[in-house]
Amino acid sequence: MEFRALAASDAAAVGRLAEERHPPELAQSEEDIAYSLDLARRGGLNYSLGLFSPEGRLRAYLLAWVQPSMIQERLESVVFIEDLYLPPSLERHFGDFLELLIEALHQDRRDHLDWEPVVDPDGLDLALDHFDLLAQSGYHLDSCAHLDEGSPGLPLTWLHFAAGELVDED
């Protein structure tokens, strides 16, 4: 398995996996995914990653880029985590995605930015299951809110992880 940055050319593969994960009313079109990835790339703000099999097949992904906070009162830029597709058989790679994202942000001197994922119940469970890992990486849950834009039966939750200092593992 190999990690690499996602580009607009990966939109079809991302779309296929997204269709497996999301109900139709929440799935984005291939064109929307390609547009978002290309726009973030052109601005130097794309932190999206894919996990590919040795045959080159996309197996998991993280869609993330820098954008203004979703909270109108906050005027700062944040790392917006649009989506994470990580099937149960690959959940062990959550830490790898996290580490690679943090490395890329650090390299670009953006590791001070807060993170704002929008998650469904499975994503919320995944984040809470790895809460210690997030804290060790220097992020703490600052606030959260339930969103009304989810489909019936699939609530969405907005999370705000504030950037802080790395926690010593001792």
Side-chain angles (χ1 to χ4, degrees), residues 64-90:
W65 43 77
V66 175
Q67 71 173 41
S69 173
M70 292 179 65
I71 301 302
Q72 292 177 347
E73 298 83 40
R74 297 180 188 226
L75 300 176
E76 74 265 11
S77 293
V78 298
V79 178
F80 178 65
I81 300 177
E82 168 76 22
D83 196 11
L84 172 65
Y85 174 82
L86 198 57
S89 64
L90 297 174

Side-chain angles (χ1 to χ4, degrees), residues 88-144:
S89 64
L90 297 174
E91 276 188 21
R92 67 187 181 279
H93 291 290
F94 180 85
D96 298 328
F97 273 107
L98 186 65
E99 184 178 311
L100 290 167
L101 177 58
I102 290 169
E103 277 179 26
L105 291 167
H106 180 73
Q107 183 177 10
D108 291 347
R109 295 192 171 109
R110 291 190 174 125
D111 48 354
H112 64 284
L113 295 178
D114 294 351
W115 294 6
E116 288 187 358
V118 174
V119 296
D120 63 16
D122 289 340
L124 183 58
D125 289 344
L126 185 65
L128 295 176
D129 287 348
H130 293 89
F131 200 75
D132 290 345
L133 183 59
L134 290 164
Q136 289 171 3
S137 299
Y139 293 87
H140 67 274
L141 184 61
D142 181 57
S143 54
C144 65

Side-chain angles (χ1 to χ4, degrees), residues 1 15 79 160:
M1 298 281 222
V79 178
H160 183 94

